[in-house]
Amino acid sequence: MSTALSSWPGAERRDPPATSSTWVVRSPLARFLQAQADDLRGGPQVRVLDVGCGVKPYYPFFADVASEYVGLDVVDNPAAELLGRVEAIPVEDASFDVVLCTQVLEHCDDPRQAVSELRRVTRPAGRVLASTHGVQVYHPSPTDYWRWTHTGLARLFETSADWTSVQVEPAAGTGAALAMLLGTYVEIALRRTVLARPPVLALNRLGAALDRRVTRLREPVPGSLIPNLHVVAVP
């Protein structure tokens, strides 16, 4: 990665510290998006839309495969080229090859309309890369409405638009989810100071180790808690 890209905003999302309770969500998400960008490498360049882009933290992953990387945000944002809601994306049909929608669906008013819009703006044989929570504490930004199971999220996509394929995978397992929840309250109890880092790190390591060792903990089975879910949907 070039020097300019290595200093791109959002490094804490591309390489999140394991001393944070958000690591359980952010680390697998970064690996997922990096793998998707790697899969595109070697083919024709693609036009990318980042829905709910913030500072465009994942742009460095796609920089060398994107002919254009366009950001959309629901609030005024100097990093975003477009202003609008995921339920009404202000671009023409089939405008983009790759559409990112990371940690947005839980905050939107109408998830079915949002998924329909993601499909509308994606070119045939393109891909929508989405992520959203299975289990998470309430975190309004500015609202927080929805949580899904893996089957519920698959159904949302499959019934909201026509797709050639929809894949929904757990980002982490029950051990990681419990570590995330406990770590969140450790951070709150210790007022999010540096004192929270060692216990949160220990929890994250323990949760990840349990998921690696116990198949039932890392899979979406009855009784499981899945912190985050990743979607690849192909028109």
Side-chain angles (χ1 to χ4, degrees):
M1 186 179 295
S2 70
T3 302
L5 291 178
S6 64
S7 61
W8 188 267
E12 74 284 353
R13 292 183 181 269
R14 296 187 298 277
D15 186 19
T19 54
S20 169
S21 63
T22 61
W23 177 80
V24 168
V25 168
R26 291 182 176 179
S27 183
L29 178 57
R31 293 196 302 270
F32 165 66
L33 294 175
Q34 180 69 78
Q36 290 293 320
D38 290 344
D39 185 57
L40 293 166
R41 201 160 284 114
Q45 287 204 313
V46 294
R47 194 165 186 243
V48 180
L49 175 66
D50 189 343
V51 177
C53 65
V55 298
K56 298 180 181 172
Y58 304 114
Y59 167 72
F61 293 163
F62 294 88
D64 63 338
V65 300
S67 59
E68 186 178 9
Y69 191 103
V70 178
L72 167 72
D73 217 332
V74 71
V75 296
D76 286 328
N77 174 2
E81 288 79 12
L82 300 172
L83 176 66
R85 299 161 57 242
V86 63
E87 296 96 335
I89 300 174
V91 302
E92 296 181 357
D93 294 359
S95 298
F96 290 88
D97 303 289
V98 177
V99 177
L100 275 60
C101 183
T102 60
Q103 310 308 123
V104 170
L105 292 176
E106 65 268 24
H107 301 291
C108 72
D109 292 334
D110 187 344
R112 288 181 59 85
Q113 178 60 27
V115 171
S116 176
E117 278 291 276
L118 295 176
R119 169 63 181 87
R120 179 185 68 79
V121 303
T122 307
R123 291 171 178 161
R127 63 184 78 176
V128 171
L129 307 176
S131 66
T132 189
H133 291 299
V135 174
Q136 182 57 278
V137 298
Y138 177 61
H139 60 293
S141 180
T143 59
D144 183 22
Y145 292 127
W146 316 104
R147 301 291 184 272
W148 283 273
T149 61
H150 62 293
T151 51
L153 190 58
R155 181 171 177 81
L156 172 68
F157 270 76
E158 291 165 355
T159 60
S160 300
D162 292 327
W163 306 94
T164 299
S165 66
V166 175
Q167 296 178 334
V168 179
E169 298 291 340
T174 298
L178 291 172
M180 175 189 71
L181 295 173
L182 288 171
T184 298
Y185 292 109
V186 167
E187 289 177 338
I188 291 171
L190 296 177
R191 301 179 184 276
R192 304 189 187 280
T193 64
V194 295
L195 295 175
R197 294 176 185 172
V200 169
L201 175 62
L203 285 166
N204 282 335
R205 286 178 172 172
L206 176 60
L210 288 171
D211 284 346
R212 285 194 301 269
R213 292 177 64 87
V214 182
T215 301
R216 282 187 60 84
L217 289 180
R218 66 175 178 265
E219 293 183 351
V221 297
S224 63
L225 296 173
I226 303 301
N228 216 46
L229 296 154
H230 297 162
V231 180
V232 179
V234 178

